[in-house]
Amino acid sequence: DVTDIEPVHFANGATLTGYVIGTSVKGVLLVWKLGGPVEPNYQAFVHALDADGQWLAQVDRAAWPGRYWRAGDTLLLWFDLDIPPETAQLYAGMYTTDGVTFQNVEVVDEHGAYLAQGATVVLE
């Protein structure tokens, strides 16, 4: 079952809406709502953090190519990540890279103002 979260809006039009922690298979599924086609192709990431926000593990992967994004579609991204037992939160987002430089897609409020470099999700 998907655990719904307070939607987290990103500057590229994607909204993080939920997650699933794998039980029989190790990993994390992130649930995104898309805002429509975008020019760059994004990489997505998820980090496992402890209760103090200390890094425990992470996985990055390619997201669905931006030209295929359609407004209102749901994007499910699976991350093959072994979640340590002390994991209390996830830190997730998207970024672009030119092979040298990385640029996070910013988390924004309803007016487009900057809030953060990624979404912090406290696990239930």
Side-chain angles (χ1 to χ4, degrees):
D1 288 338
V2 173
T3 300
D4 293 324
I5 63 169
E6 184 69 32
V8 181
H9 304 283
F10 286 77
N12 63 359
T15 301
L16 183 62
T17 63
Y19 67 92
V20 176
I21 303 292
T23 51
S24 60
V25 177
K26 68 177 182 166
V28 176
L29 179 76
L30 295 182
V31 181
W32 301 82
K33 284 290 186 190
L34 301 178
V38 291
E39 178 58 33
N41 291 323
Y42 293 97
Q43 298 292 312
F45 66 87
V46 64
H47 299 191
L49 308 175
D50 68 13
D52 296 323
Q54 296 300 307
W55 179 91
L56 300 170
Q58 82 179 63
V59 170
D60 293 38
R61 58 153 295 168
W64 187 249
R67 68 183 174 276
Y68 298 126
W69 291 19
R70 297 294 174 255
D73 278 359
T74 298
L75 175 65
L76 304 175
L77 292 178
W78 177 259
F79 297 83
D80 187 18
L81 179 65
D82 193 7
I83 302 290
E86 63 273 25
T87 301
Q89 40 190 335
L90 301 174
Y91 182 69
M94 293 184 181
Y95 63 91
T96 58
T97 182
D98 61 11
V100 177
T101 313
F102 297 87
Q103 180 67 44
N104 280 15
V105 178
E106 297 176 343
V107 174
V108 295
D109 68 13
E110 63 274 4
H111 305 291
Y114 171 84
L115 295 174
Q117 290 293 305
T120 300
V121 177
V122 176
L123 299 181
E124 295 185 3

Short mmCIF file of all heavy atoms in Angstrom, two decimals, residues 46-49 54-59 81-84 87:
data_model
loop_
_atom_site.label_atom_id
_atom_site.label_comp_id
_atom_site.label_asym_id
_atom_site.label_seq_id
_atom_site.Cartn_x
_atom_site.Cartn_y
_atom_site.Cartn_z
N VAL A 46 17.01 9.00 -3.87
CA VAL A 46 16.42 8.81 -2.54
C VAL A 46 17.55 8.44 -1.59
O VAL A 46 18.41 7.63 -1.92
CB VAL A 46 15.27 7.77 -2.53
CG1 VAL A 46 15.76 6.39 -2.88
CG2 VAL A 46 14.55 7.77 -1.19
N HIS A 47 17.57 9.11 -0.44
CA HIS A 47 18.55 8.83 0.61
C HIS A 47 17.78 8.31 1.82
O HIS A 47 16.70 8.82 2.13
CB HIS A 47 19.28 10.10 1.04
CG HIS A 47 20.06 10.76 -0.04
ND1 HIS A 47 20.95 11.78 0.22
CD2 HIS A 47 20.12 10.57 -1.39
CE1 HIS A 47 21.51 12.18 -0.90
NE2 HIS A 47 21.02 11.46 -1.89
N ALA A 48 18.35 7.34 2.51
CA ALA A 48 17.83 6.88 3.80
C ALA A 48 18.59 7.64 4.87
O ALA A 48 19.83 7.69 4.85
CB ALA A 48 18.04 5.38 3.96
N LEU A 49 17.85 8.25 5.81
CA LEU A 49 18.45 9.02 6.89
C LEU A 49 17.97 8.51 8.24
O LEU A 49 16.85 8.00 8.35
CB LEU A 49 18.06 10.51 6.77
CG LEU A 49 18.30 11.19 5.42
CD1 LEU A 49 17.72 12.61 5.45
CD2 LEU A 49 19.76 11.19 5.06
N GLN A 54 21.14 12.01 9.64
CA GLN A 54 22.43 11.52 9.17
C GLN A 54 22.23 10.50 8.05
O GLN A 54 21.38 9.62 8.15
CB GLN A 54 23.22 10.89 10.32
CG GLN A 54 23.59 11.87 11.41
CD GLN A 54 24.45 13.01 10.90
OE1 GLN A 54 25.48 12.80 10.28
NE2 GLN A 54 24.01 14.23 11.14
N TRP A 55 23.06 10.61 7.01
CA TRP A 55 22.99 9.76 5.84
C TRP A 55 23.31 8.31 6.20
O TRP A 55 24.27 8.03 6.91
CB TRP A 55 23.97 10.28 4.79
CG TRP A 55 24.03 9.48 3.55
CD1 TRP A 55 23.28 9.67 2.43
CD2 TRP A 55 24.87 8.36 3.27
NE1 TRP A 55 23.61 8.74 1.47
CE2 TRP A 55 24.59 7.92 1.97
CE3 TRP A 55 25.83 7.67 4.01
CZ2 TRP A 55 25.24 6.84 1.38
CZ3 TRP A 55 26.47 6.60 3.42
CH2 TRP A 55 26.17 6.20 2.12
N LEU A 56 22.49 7.37 5.70
CA LEU A 56 22.71 5.95 5.90
C LEU A 56 22.96 5.22 4.57
O LEU A 56 23.79 4.32 4.51
CB LEU A 56 21.51 5.31 6.60
CG LEU A 56 21.15 5.86 7.98
CD1 LEU A 56 19.81 5.30 8.44
CD2 LEU A 56 22.26 5.53 8.99
N ALA A 57 22.22 5.57 3.54
CA ALA A 57 22.32 4.90 2.25
C ALA A 57 21.64 5.76 1.19
O ALA A 57 20.83 6.63 1.53
CB ALA A 57 21.65 3.52 2.31
N GLN A 58 21.96 5.50 -0.07
CA GLN A 58 21.29 6.24 -1.15
C GLN A 58 21.36 5.47 -2.46
O GLN A 58 22.21 4.60 -2.63
CB GLN A 58 21.90 7.62 -1.35
CG GLN A 58 23.15 7.62 -2.21
CD GLN A 58 23.71 9.01 -2.41
OE1 GLN A 58 24.09 9.64 -1.44
NE2 GLN A 58 23.77 9.46 -3.65
N VAL A 59 20.43 5.82 -3.35
CA VAL A 59 20.43 5.32 -4.73
C VAL A 59 19.96 6.46 -5.63
O VAL A 59 19.03 7.20 -5.29
CB VAL A 59 19.50 4.10 -4.89
CG1 VAL A 59 19.32 3.75 -6.36
CG2 VAL A 59 20.04 2.91 -4.16
N LEU A 81 17.15 -0.16 -3.01
CA LEU A 81 17.87 0.37 -1.85
C LEU A 81 17.56 -0.48 -0.64
O LEU A 81 16.39 -0.67 -0.28
CB LEU A 81 17.44 1.82 -1.59
CG LEU A 81 18.06 2.53 -0.40
CD1 LEU A 81 19.56 2.71 -0.60
CD2 LEU A 81 17.40 3.89 -0.20
N ASP A 82 18.59 -0.99 -0.02
CA ASP A 82 18.43 -1.76 1.21
C ASP A 82 18.28 -0.76 2.35
O ASP A 82 19.22 -0.04 2.68
CB ASP A 82 19.65 -2.66 1.43
CG ASP A 82 19.42 -3.71 2.49
OD1 ASP A 82 18.28 -3.83 2.98
OD2 ASP A 82 20.39 -4.40 2.84
N ILE A 83 17.08 -0.67 2.93
CA ILE A 83 16.78 0.32 3.96
C ILE A 83 17.31 -0.17 5.31
O ILE A 83 16.81 -1.17 5.83
CB ILE A 83 15.26 0.57 4.06
CG1 ILE A 83 14.70 1.04 2.72
CG2 ILE A 83 14.94 1.56 5.16
CD1 ILE A 83 15.12 2.41 2.31
N PRO A 84 18.31 0.52 5.89
CA PRO A 84 18.79 0.12 7.21
C PRO A 84 17.67 0.23 8.25
O PRO A 84 16.79 1.09 8.14
CB PRO A 84 19.92 1.11 7.50
CG PRO A 84 20.35 1.61 6.15
CD PRO A 84 19.08 1.62 5.33
N THR A 87 16.55 3.62 9.77
CA THR A 87 16.03 4.67 8.88
C THR A 87 14.75 5.26 9.45
O THR A 87 13.80 4.54 9.76
CB THR A 87 15.76 4.10 7.48
OG1 THR A 87 16.98 3.58 6.96
CG2 THR A 87 15.22 5.19 6.55
#
